[in-house]
Amino acid sequence: MEIGPYIKLHRIKQEMTQAELAEGIVSFAYLSKIENQKTEASSNVISLLCTRLGIQLNNETDETIREKCQQWYEMLFEVNDKEEIIKTYKELNSLMYEHHSDSLIMFEIHKIRYFLILGEYEKALTQINRLADMSGTFDSLHQFYWYKFKGNYSTAKTEFNQAMRMYKIAEEKLNQLELSEEKIADLQYTIAVTHSKLHNTLEAIEYSDKAIDIFRKQYNFIRCAQCHILLGISYRRIRMYDKSIKNHNLAKHLGELSKNRQIIQLTNQNLGYLHSTKGDRKQAIHYYVEVLNDPEVELNARLTAVTSLIKEYYSIYDFDKTKEMVDRGIEMLDNIKNKEAFRIHYYVINSYNYVINQDNENFEMLVINEFIPYLQKHKDFANLVDYAKMLGRHFEKLNKYKDSVKYYKLANVTYEELINL
């Protein structure tokens, strides 16, 4: 990395103005020229600036830093132990700011991904804003990861249209780079997922097929399974149920070969939803129970199974089982510290809790004042249709026909938006 941008990055990182860094060494106007590579400063000036920033101009450790960075990037690329990711980050962060390393820009860009993995979205945004001023100096490889990780940030914030714009720019950079096939496939899979979120079903199938062709050649069973799940979801949406089931079963088989409980139960969850869509409640319940009763599966997946079972039992008028699942869901929520991350489960479970206990006042307050606005904000049109209909039926039973029509109309308008996505 050139010394000018390197100094600029350190200065920004330390929240130091140009005037503060330049004081007693050079004018801040001259420092600006150094940082923007419009002049070459003497080695003495560079040394003084680096000393003030606490940087050592010693390239002997650069190869070590480069290798360690590559290891860390791979940890962020695949699913890894977060403690190990954090430990390696801290080691690298210390090394990076003691030595002049060519890896610094790439390291700073990968910090965006690092903060997203940890769920620290504000830090990820701060990092994006810090680097924005320098993004014009990025080479093609830097730009590829810059746009990809900005897309990851937009995805985390459920801003899928913005995420797609970022991913497509990253995709354009592939023509200028020689990346490994696996990294290309990872971007293709990410684009497929985003198309799926936007209900661009044919595009989701196209990009899933591209990614799975590469993952198959590399015998990457887990990534192949993820693609099969996405294909299963896509084919279910266009009612090609046999193809959907085939892809889900392939994913499940690969999960069993890899002994990956998350993949197996994600497949079961999707098979449950597929059978529910077809009206086969008994089979849907079977798959959801498989997920719920697996203690190795992450909490979010088990809560999703609980909310799915609540809906299924309620739809077949088995209110005892509905209440049993509601109580189980409440118990699970009570043991969670970070409840915000599970807010949609909170709304679903409590909505049905009020319904089966005939607590009309709290049901209306929760769904009208909190749940519906939450779904609208997050553009969760599928759930918005369901809960608008639920409110419509609720008010219809109470003979409040004006309110009933209002929410049936909301459900219809939302459904039209959903099918036009």
Side-chain angles (χ1 to χ4, degrees):
M1 180 181 179
E2 296 295 331
I3 193 66
Y6 181 78
I7 286 171
K8 182 177 183 178
L9 188 56
H10 273 282
R11 177 180 61 75
I12 292 170
K13 174 75 176 175
Q14 296 179 36
E15 299 181 352
M16 192 182 293
T17 66
Q18 286 181 328
E20 287 169 338
L21 177 57
E23 186 179 3
I25 301 173
V26 291
S27 69
F28 74 85
Y30 188 68
L31 174 59
S32 180
K33 289 182 179 180
I34 294 170
E35 289 185 345
N36 293 297
Q37 298 176 272
K38 292 181 179 178
T39 189
E40 288 188 20
S42 68
S43 58
N44 184 51
V45 166
I46 295 298
S47 178
L48 289 170
L49 292 171
C50 287
T51 298
R52 181 162 290 173
L53 288 166
I55 307 167
Q56 294 179 31
L57 292 179
N58 180 354
N59 290 326
E60 290 179 9
T61 59
D62 198 41
E63 186 58 36
T64 303
I65 291 173
R66 193 178 295 113
E67 289 176 4
K68 202 166 191 67
C69 278
Q70 199 54 48
Q71 291 170 6
W72 187 62
Y73 300 157
E74 293 300 326
M75 289 181 192
L76 301 178
F77 179 62
E78 295 287 355
V79 177
N80 276 280
D81 179 28
K82 285 186 181 179
E83 288 186 12
E84 188 64 26
I85 291 172
I86 294 167
K87 179 185 174 185
T88 307
Y89 166 76
K90 288 179 177 177
E91 291 172 6
L92 268 173
N93 206 41
S94 177
L95 277 171
M96 203 67 72
Y97 288 97
E98 290 172 0
H99 303 276
H100 174 207
S101 172
D102 289 338
S103 303
L104 180 62
I105 287 287
M106 190 64 83
F107 175 71
E108 287 293 322
I109 292 170
H110 275 75
K111 277 188 182 180
I112 300 166
R113 173 74 176 163
Y114 169 71
F115 290 132
L116 291 173
I117 287 171
L118 298 186
E120 296 178 347
Y121 302 136
E122 288 301 317
K123 287 185 179 180
L125 180 59
T126 298
Q127 187 67 9
I128 289 170
N129 291 335
R130 272 182 182 155
L131 293 173
D133 188 42
M134 298 192 64
S135 61
T137 67
F138 292 169
D139 63 25
S140 295
L141 186 60
H142 293 149
Q143 287 177 354
F144 171 78
Y145 286 109
W146 169 243
Y147 287 112
K148 185 182 178 188
F149 296 155
K150 286 209 296 180
N152 291 164
Y153 173 78
S154 295
T155 294
K157 302 300 285 183
T158 67
E159 296 166 354
F160 298 115
N161 283 306
Q162 176 65 6
M164 182 61 78
R165 284 191 284 273
M166 296 296 102
Y167 294 141
K168 295 301 281 185
I169 296 172
E171 186 182 30
E172 289 169 9
K173 301 297 173 187
L174 292 175
N175 296 326
Q176 306 162 30
L177 300 169
E178 292 186 11
L179 286 179
S180 70
E181 282 196 321
E182 195 169 15
K183 287 190 169 54
I184 294 170
D186 180 68
L187 178 63
Q188 290 168 339
Y189 171 75
T190 302
I191 292 173
V193 171
T194 311
H195 275 307
S196 182
K197 294 290 186 184
L198 293 167
H199 286 254
N200 301 331
T201 304
L202 296 180
E203 290 86 348
I205 292 171
E206 177 192 352
Y207 275 90
S208 295
D209 283 336
K210 287 180 182 179
I212 204 169
D213 282 346
I214 295 172
F215 291 136
R216 271 200 201 106
K217 285 189 283 185
Q218 299 182 342
Y219 300 99
N220 191 330
F221 291 167
I222 298 301
R223 301 310 302 271
C224 283
Q226 290 172 335
C227 290
H228 279 302
I229 290 170
L230 199 51
L231 286 166
I233 292 168
S234 299
Y235 285 122
R236 187 255 303 157
R237 283 178 174 161
I238 55 177
R239 299 183 182 182
M240 296 179 70
Y241 295 127
D242 288 344
K243 270 199 165 186
S244 178
I245 291 170
K246 179 182 177 181
N247 275 281
H248 283 311
N249 284 336
L250 283 168
K252 195 170 183 179
H253 177 63
L254 291 169
E256 287 165 350
L257 286 175
S258 307
K259 297 180 180 178
N260 188 307
R261 302 301 303 169
Q262 308 302 329
I263 289 290
I264 293 167
Q265 298 303 1
L266 179 57
T267 306
N268 281 333
Q269 180 68 32
N270 279 291
L271 281 167
Y273 191 80
L274 183 149
H275 286 287
S276 178
T277 302
K278 292 174 67 180
D280 187 348
R281 305 294 180 187
K282 184 177 178 181
Q283 196 67 3
I285 288 168
H286 163 76
Y287 284 113
Y288 292 144
V289 168
E290 286 283 312
V291 181
L292 178 59
N293 291 338
D294 189 339
E296 293 182 34
V297 176
E298 63 182 6
L299 180 60
N300 188 56
R302 293 176 68 218
L303 274 167
T304 301
V306 164
T307 55
S308 299
L309 284 165
I310 288 169
K311 294 174 190 176
E312 294 302 325
Y313 285 128
Y314 188 79
S315 71
I316 59 174
Y317 307 105
D318 189 340
F319 300 127
D320 287 339
K321 278 288 187 181
T322 304
K323 188 172 189 323
E324 181 186 328
M325 288 300 110
V326 165
D327 290 343
R328 191 159 177 182
I330 290 171
E331 183 183 347
M332 290 165 72
L333 287 171
D334 283 344
N335 293 322
I336 296 170
K337 291 182 180 178
N338 180 18
K339 288 185 170 53
E340 190 57 38
F342 301 91
R343 183 145 296 276
I344 190 163
H345 299 305
Y346 166 84
Y347 286 137
V348 173
I349 291 165
N350 281 284
S351 296
Y352 279 91
N353 186 36
Y354 293 139
V355 165
I356 60 175
N357 286 307
Q358 298 182 336
D359 187 345
N360 294 336
E361 184 179 351
N362 278 318
F363 171 74
E364 291 171 19
M365 285 176 60
L366 180 71
V367 180
I368 294 171
N369 298 331
E370 295 186 47
F371 198 8
I372 293 289
Y374 174 89
L375 295 172
Q376 289 171 326
K377 179 182 176 182
H378 290 86
K379 298 181 180 178
D380 187 345
F381 298 126
N383 273 315
L384 184 54
V385 169
D386 288 344
Y387 288 92
K389 280 184 180 177
M390 193 175 180
L391 272 173
R393 288 191 295 267
H394 166 77
F395 284 121
E396 191 174 11
K397 286 178 183 176
L398 297 177
N399 299 322
K400 295 183 177 180
Y401 297 114
K402 186 176 179 181
D403 288 325
S404 176
V405 168
K406 175 183 175 181
Y407 287 103
Y408 279 134
K409 185 177 179 180
L410 174 62
N412 290 334
V413 169
T414 305
Y415 180 74
E416 287 176 13
E417 285 188 59
L418 183 62
I419 62 175
N420 288 325
L421 278 174

